[in-house]
Amino acid sequence: MKLLNVLLIASIAMGSVWAKEKFFVVERESESLATIYNGVKRTNIEGMHNMNHGVVKFEGNDGYVISRDGYVVKFDPVSEKILAEYKTSKSAIGFVIGANYVAVANYDDKSVDILSRDLKPIDKIQTGSKNVGIKIYTDYLIFSQMDNDIISVFKDMDAGKALPNFKLHKEFKDVGELPFDAMIKDEKYIVGFFTSKFFGVLDLKKMEYNKIDIFLDENRQMVLKVPHFGFWSIGGDKVFVPAVGDNKVLVYDNDFKFIKNIKTQGLPVFTSLSPDKKYLAVTYSGKDFPTIQIIDTNSLEIIHTFNFDGKVLHLRWSETSPQLYVSVNDTNKIAVIHTKEWFLNREIFNVKKPSGIFIYEDGK
């Protein structure tokens, strides 16, 4: 009886921990999000438009979705009700959420839209280029112009005190060929390129730009799926970068000095760092779509390989439990790997063509 009581208390405690995490999974072909709560598929939120490149972000108690066909949707992640939507363009690729605004980088109509947090239009910045890698740093809005090889820095002249008033602060030209994504690390804006054998680092305090060489083989392969730099991994004393067109994960220190290339099974797409920074999960494209590999961030060696019965499009580490959630697109499920013992713990079925996995914390 005592053992049963202990198990019951432990189960309740674990359930209360897990209950803080609510997973929103992009259902790629259904214009919808699936929700997973307490490890179980619960609901579908429909009406999210074209989700082939759907991305979900949370800011406080607000949830936002960007669709491939240029819609931004605001929703309540608790009630799961859609609150507002706005179409910025025919094709949008990324967005960021500020204190008083949402900024959307568009492919087609070659602009950046500035909206209120309730998705009312404020401004449209015309660039004449597909726009990528949109980020926020203090009062600055930074993005890259793919067609023009430019990094644009806009400054909010109202310094976040009201609705934003963005004016061009500085442009950096000829930064590299075909920028495709970027990330922020402290005051550094880091941008990657399709065809240049380097990535760029813009110091936003000094407003200085530098190129960091990438050490790749001469015979680079065709890129089948772009490795989004939003899934570069930075943690502890290392930066992990999926190579473009090469079977490698590049490792740098925090000052972007080269440490090592880790040889991988395939062309890496996403690298995702565990919450304790001890492990790195890597996904692939092409024939290695069904595979993920786990890298030990201390030894910089691959320690585990998992193969699934379909393409792996995304993964996400739980922040509160030893679980790695993996979207297996072809077989309509989320696989859950136990990250202490490294085995396939369970599978969550009836998630239609899953791709991106995003976490909302209750009471956040």
Side-chain angles (χ1 to χ4, degrees), residues 27 34-37 39-44 348-351:
E27 294 187 305
T35 66
I36 296 172
Y37 204 61
V40 177
K41 160 73 185 295
R42 192 172 75 170
T43 57
N44 296 83
I348 303 169
F349 294 98
N350 300 317
V351 182

Side-chain angles (χ1 to χ4, degrees), residues 128-168:
S129 169
K130 295 187 288 289
N131 302 289
V132 296
I134 190 164
K135 303 295 173 186
I136 294 172
Y137 173 74
T138 63
D139 296 329
Y140 297 108
L141 180 69
I142 310 100
F143 57 88
S144 295
Q145 298 182 30
M146 178 182 282
D147 302 320
N148 297 331
D149 301 337
I150 289 174
I151 297 174
S152 298
V153 181
F154 281 74
K155 186 173 184 178
D156 178 8
M157 307 309 292
D158 291 334
K161 296 175 183 176
L163 292 178
N165 176 25
F166 282 111
K167 301 296 181 185
L168 181 63

Side-chain angles (χ1 to χ4, degrees), residues 184-301:
I184 286 276
K185 177 188 181 293
D186 301 324
E187 72 280 1
K188 305 292 197 307
Y189 177 83
I190 306 157
V191 59
F193 306 98
F194 268 122
T195 52
S196 297
K197 293 185 179 180
F198 56 83
F199 58 88
V201 179
L202 171 59
D203 187 316
L204 292 164
K205 280 188 176 179
K206 300 176 181 179
M207 287 294 163
E208 295 176 354
Y209 180 76
N210 291 292
K211 298 173 181 179
I212 309 297
D213 288 334
I214 296 175
F215 300 96
L216 296 175
D217 294 338
E218 287 300 316
N219 297 319
R220 298 171 79 188
Q221 302 174 51
M222 181 183 296
V223 178
L224 301 176
K225 185 171 174 58
V226 174
H228 293 280
F229 279 29
F231 283 85
W232 279 29
S233 295
I234 297 177
D237 58 352
K238 297 183 182 73
V239 179
F240 298 91
V241 182
V244 177
D246 204 347
N247 292 6
K248 291 182 177 69
V249 170
L250 318 177
V251 187
Y252 297 83
D253 67 15
N254 281 330
D255 293 320
F256 294 100
K257 291 186 172 58
F258 177 73
I259 297 175
K260 180 181 179 180
N261 284 334
I262 302 173
K263 183 71 175 177
T264 56
Q265 177 173 315
L267 294 170
V269 177
F270 293 140
T271 62
S272 181
L273 198 63
S274 63
D276 61 9
K277 311 294 190 289
K278 292 181 179 179
Y279 304 104
L280 186 79
V282 186
T283 71
Y284 301 105
S285 63
K287 66 181 179 59
D288 299 297
F289 251 132
T291 299
I292 70 168
Q293 292 187 297
I294 308 298
I295 294 172
D296 183 304
T297 59
N298 183 39
S299 67
L300 301 180
E301 300 291 337

